[in-house]
């Protein structure tokens, strides 16, 4: 079993793991599916070939048996011919005896008693001479040839090795032309896919048209807030990436075990603090120093990042567009987020934890009413893959974080209203658009044991907007404006 496969089966710590390179194109789910089918076909062909060899051995055994039967029949025919020859010899002797008797009768016509004596003497002299009697010799030969003939090179086993049930041994005790015994199955498959256990798998993809349409948002009521605000922060043109997560794994390098794309705050890493974030620059307009980040998407057809200890191989796909939209609440006005509020959405370990906290949303441009929570979409040509990530927006009114990073801000109920004791804050929706390779050949970065399951998609946010900007956002939303 390859080290990469061990990593993929559940090891998390990259600090102690050493792996060999894995080709990204071998990690292409479409290619892996073809190789699996080829391996199955090859195994079936090997099985069929073994059956053909076994059948060939059986045919050889049957042919040998037929030859033995033919030999026995020939022996019987020879014995019968010998019997006929012996009988003919006896008839010739009798005829010779009769001729001698007739001659004696002609020569001794005057003395009948003497003829009778000579006839009796002639009847026993020439015929009963053991040295000239073929019957005595043929009797011994006849008895020996009538028995089944044993050929040392063939034997009674007819090349079947005693019919012991093992077709691979046919012919070992017989004519020496045994059919080949089954070859041992090779333990190392030359076409073994180094990324076979990394995921994702073909069944993790679905044609976007097979997803049923549904309404994504709750209907906004009379007391709801209809406005929106979009923070323009770019698409990470400056390639701000790292595998850290200061919210769930503060003070740890590679705490996420998968690569993050960042927009907004320029300093975000595993050691970020409120103070370091406030002092840093930003890619966002209007001075928004908030940090927005998510796991990267990769093209699995390209051989890049092959040394990654966590199996996140392939070419990083930068989003073609990133929309960071703050929205209102269906039943109430919104209040300002506190500065340094930390939020997460989705569950990076949903493939093993279950889907209670999963919030993945996969779609395609032109099909935004069709959203899959657990499948990568296969979009028609010209359509881009969409990741739609909604954040919780019902704040407990006191805390900027919590032990599980979830209970201080929760999601609205089914009708869009916040639970009692919470307040609606601007609801962040990230919409990321990608141009991906055709077919099931892309994947989101993930923890190794999650096998790049699409249900694990997630994102993180920390509010570092100046208070004045946050008040502007709240005003736009509550007044129904689009800012």
């Amino acid at each position: 079993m390859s080290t990469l496969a061990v990593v993929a089966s559940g090891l998390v710590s990259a600090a102690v793991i050493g792996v060999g390179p894995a080709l990204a194109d071998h990690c292409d789910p479409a290619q892996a599916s073809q190789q699996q089918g080829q391996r199955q076909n090859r195994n079936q062909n090997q099985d069929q070939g073994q059956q053909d060899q076994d059948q060939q051995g059986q045919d050889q055994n049957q042919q040998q048996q037929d030859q033995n039967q033919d030999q026995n029949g020939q022996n019987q025919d020879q014995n019968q011919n010998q019997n006929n020859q012996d009988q003919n010899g006896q008839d010739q002797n009798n005829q010779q005896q009769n001729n001698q008797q007739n001659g004696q009768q002609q020569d001794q016509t005057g003395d009948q008693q003497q003829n009778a004596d000579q006839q009796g003497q002639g009847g026993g002299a020439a015929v009963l001479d053991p040295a000239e009697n073929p019957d005595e010799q043929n009797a011994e030969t006849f008895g020996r040839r009538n028995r089944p003939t044993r050929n040392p090179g063939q034997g009674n086993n007819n090349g079947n090795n005693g019919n012991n049930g093992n077709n691979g041994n046919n012919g070992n005790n017989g004519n020496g032309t045994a059919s080949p015994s089954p070859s041992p199955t090779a333990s190392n498959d030359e076409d073994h896919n180094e990324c076979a256990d990394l995921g994702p798998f073909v069944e993790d993809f679905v044609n976007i048209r097979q997803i049923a349409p549904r309404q994504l948002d709750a209907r906004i009521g009379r007391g709801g807030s209809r406005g929106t605000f979009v923070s323009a922060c770019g698409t990470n043109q400056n390639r701000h990436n790292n595998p850290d997560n200061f919210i769930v794994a503060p003070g740890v390098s590679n705490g996420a075990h998968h690569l993050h794309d960042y927009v907004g705050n320029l300093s975000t890493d595993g050691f970020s603090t409120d103070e370091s974030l406030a002092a840093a620059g930003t890619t966002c307009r209007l001075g928004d120093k908030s940090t927005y980040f998510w796991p990267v998407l990769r093209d699995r057809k390209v051989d890049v990042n092959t040394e990654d200890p966590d199996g996140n191989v392939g070419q990083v796909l930068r989003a073609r567009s990133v929309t960071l939209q703050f929205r209102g609440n269906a039943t109430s006005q919104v209040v300002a987020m506190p500065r340094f509020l930390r939020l997460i959405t989705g569950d990076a370990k949903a493939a093993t934890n279950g889907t209670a906290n999963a919030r993945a949303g996969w779609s395609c441009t032109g099909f935004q009413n069709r959203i899959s929570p657990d499948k990568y979409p296969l979009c028609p040509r010209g359509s881009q893959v969409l990741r739609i990530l909604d954040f919780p927006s019902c704040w407990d009114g006191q805390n900027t974080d919590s032990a599980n990073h979830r209970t201080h801000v929760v999601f609205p109920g089914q009708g869009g209203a916040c639970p009692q004791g919470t307040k609606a804050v601007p609801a962040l929706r990230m919409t990321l658009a990608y141009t991906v390779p055709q077919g099931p050949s892309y994947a989101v970065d993930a923890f190794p044991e999650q096998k790049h399951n699409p249900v694990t998609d997630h994102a993180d946010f920390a509010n570092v907007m100046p208070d004045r900007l946050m008040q502007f956002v709240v005003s736009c939303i509550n007044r129904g404006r689009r800012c």
Side-chain angles (χ1 to χ4, degrees), residues 82-281:
Q82 186 64 40
N83 290 339
N84 293 337
Q85 292 174 359
D86 295 341
Q87 184 64 39
N88 291 336
Q90 185 176 5
D91 293 341
Q92 291 174 357
N93 291 335
N94 291 337
Q95 184 176 1
Q96 182 179 0
Q97 182 179 5
N98 292 335
N99 291 337
Q100 291 174 352
Q101 290 174 353
N102 291 336
Q104 290 173 357
Q105 289 175 356
Q106 292 175 357
D107 294 338
Q108 302 295 333
T109 57
D111 193 351
Q112 295 181 353
Q113 181 64 40
Q114 186 177 2
N115 284 343
D117 293 339
Q118 290 177 351
Q119 182 178 1
Q121 184 179 2
V127 175
L128 296 179
D129 183 359
E132 297 180 4
N133 187 0
D135 283 348
E136 186 172 334
Q137 183 179 1
N138 191 49
E140 182 180 355
T141 306
F142 178 85
R144 181 172 64 250
R145 292 182 180 177
N146 250 350
R147 290 194 294 267
T149 304
R150 289 182 180 270
N151 186 328
Q154 294 173 342
N156 266 347
N157 288 336
N158 297 329
N160 202 324
N161 198 18
N163 293 328
N164 63 1
N166 186 352
N167 291 333
N169 290 333
N170 289 346
N172 288 347
N173 290 352
N175 58 15
T177 57
S179 61
S181 60
S183 301
T185 302
S187 59
N188 294 325
D189 187 346
E190 293 180 358
D191 294 331
H192 175 68
N193 183 358
E194 288 291 338
C195 298
D197 294 329
L198 289 184
F201 308 100
V202 172
E203 57 267 26
D204 292 325
F205 294 78
V206 64
N207 188 315
I208 189 64
R209 292 186 174 89
Q210 295 179 355
I211 301 174
R214 66 182 177 91
Q215 184 174 347
L216 183 59
D217 301 316
R219 187 181 300 275
I220 299 177
R222 174 177 293 183
S225 41
R226 301 174 178 271
T228 61
F229 172 85
V230 173
S231 186
C233 302
T235 60
N236 194 21
Q237 295 95 324
N238 59 331
R239 301 184 184 277
H240 181 185
N241 300 102
N242 60 55
D244 302 346
N245 191 322
F246 76 95
I247 297 177
V248 299
V252 178
S253 295
N254 194 37
H257 292 269
H258 50 263
L259 197 66
H260 284 133
D261 261 331
Y262 291 87
V263 296
N265 199 286
L266 292 173
S267 68
T268 314
D269 61 18
F271 302 91
S272 293
T273 63
D274 294 347
E275 293 74 19
S276 67
L277 293 172

Side-chain angles (χ1 to χ4, degrees), residues 40 70 72 96 128 192 203 211 214 216 277 291 304 312 328 398 405 418 424 427:
Q40 291 174 349
D70 292 341
N72 291 336
Q96 182 179 0
L128 296 179
H192 175 68
E203 57 267 26
I211 301 174
R214 66 182 177 91
L216 183 59
L277 293 172
T291 180
V304 175
N312 291 302
Q398 298 179 359
H405 315 292
C418 283

Side-chain angles (χ1 to χ4, degrees), residues 55-67:
Q55 183 63 41
Q56 182 179 3
Q58 294 174 358
D59 292 342
Q60 290 176 350
N61 291 336
Q62 184 62 42
Q63 182 179 3
Q64 185 61 40
Q65 292 174 357
D66 292 342
Q67 291 176 352

Side-chain angles (χ1 to χ4, degrees), residues 334-375:
V334 298
V335 300
M337 288 181 179
R339 201 171 192 214
F340 306 117
L341 179 69
R342 301 179 180 189
L343 302 178
I344 63 175
T345 185
D347 185 356
K349 298 183 178 181
T352 55
N353 287 346
T355 59
N357 293 316
R359 287 282 172 171
W362 297 92
S363 187
C364 301
T365 55
F367 299 86
Q368 283 90 328
N369 62 336
R370 299 173 186 263
I371 300 175
S372 173
D374 56 5
K375 302 287 185 183

Side-chain angles (χ1 to χ4, degrees), residues 209 367 378-384 438-439:
R209 292 186 174 89
F367 299 86
L378 297 176
C379 305
R381 191 174 298 276
S383 175
Q384 293 180 326
Q438 285 296 112

